[in-house]
Amino acid sequence: MDLGIRGRKAIVCAASKGLGKGCAVALAEAGVALTLCARGRDALEATAAEIRAATGVPVTAVPCDVTTEEGRRALLAACPEPDILVNNAGGPPPGDFKDFELDDWRRAVEANMLTPIALVRATVYGMMDRGFGRIVNITSASVKAPIPNLELSNGARAGLTGAMATIARKAVRRNVTINAILPGPFETDRLRSTLAVAAAREGRSLEEVAAERAAANPAGRFGTPAEFGALCAFLCSVHAGYITGQNLLIDGGAYPGTL
Ligand code: NAP
């Protein structure tokens, strides 16, 4: 399927690895010029070079912390009029409710709620003026059903989800959509680090815990960043202009509800 977005410009946040990289690769395969960020310069530049070589699209790497104002300024300076914005950042640390001080909550809200809100606010009105825009927020399956021991993620991402619900329905009139993708377990460094915490807590090996969790998923495995990226690219396509304000779960069927 031709996604109809060849020549468009996208900002993909937190994209040197994992799900952000999966989105960047899929958009590049659809012919979209990319501006990518991550904090670590070497991994980011390696990813940018890999995508350029594989697809031939222009890729600008902006090493920065997207959760800071300075980082967001640098990103927007590199791509002032994006047609597509994929919001993403590292997830908050796991832990129990009693372990978290207010400053832990402030950091989680800053990274996983206020940062995407700031980038949406900075880009959505330009997209509306130009008559095309696609915004995808990478959140978590925790928005649909809270994940034990990921209290900070459960809270901050639910806040973002509520904050997007009205603007998504205003922007669509100008062909700008805002949706979220809610990942279940995907094969990334983030998953490996959360599984390592669980393994340590249970006194078991990471391999054992990972194999057990993968087998417990209805699909019998974890998802891949390429599968995640393909959904993101479709939501950014010309074909998805009637999908907005949605929170799309991609979890191999792990969520047990009928709806
Ligand atoms: P990952 O494999 O650890 O990759 C994270 C990427 O984000 C890296 O490129 C990292 O590069 C970049 N990054 C992290 N913090 C950043 C910051 N402050 N500014 C700029 N870039 C930053 O993680 P992932 O699995 O793709 O997860 C992406 C998001 O989805 C996270 O919020 C995670 O909590 C959420 N999620 C993941 C899963 C899963 O199973 N994988 C499930 C549910 C939710 P640098 O470290 O160099 O900055």
Side-chain angles (χ1 to χ4, degrees), residues 14 16-19 38-40 65-66 88-91 157 183-184 186 188 190:
S16 64
K17 294 190 265 175
L19 303 180
R39 293 163 303 177
D65 183 340
V66 73
N88 186 28
R157 298 186 197 279
F186 275 78
T188 67
R190 163 79 177 176

Side-chain angles (χ1 to χ4, degrees), residues 3-13 15 20 23-37 47-48 51-52 55-62 75 78-86 127 132 134 233 236:
L3 297 185
I5 47 177
R6 184 165 297 282
R8 294 283 185 188
K9 290 172 284 180
I11 291 177
V12 186
C13 303
C23 295
V25 168
L27 288 169
E29 285 168 350
V32 175
L34 301 176
T35 300
L36 309 180
C37 83
T47 292
I51 295 176
R52 256 182 238 119
T55 64
V57 301
V59 185
T60 304
V62 182
L75 197 52
C79 184
E81 295 192 339
D83 305 299
I84 293 167
L85 167 66
V86 180
M127 290 176 180
F132 178 88
R134 298 285 184 263
C236 295

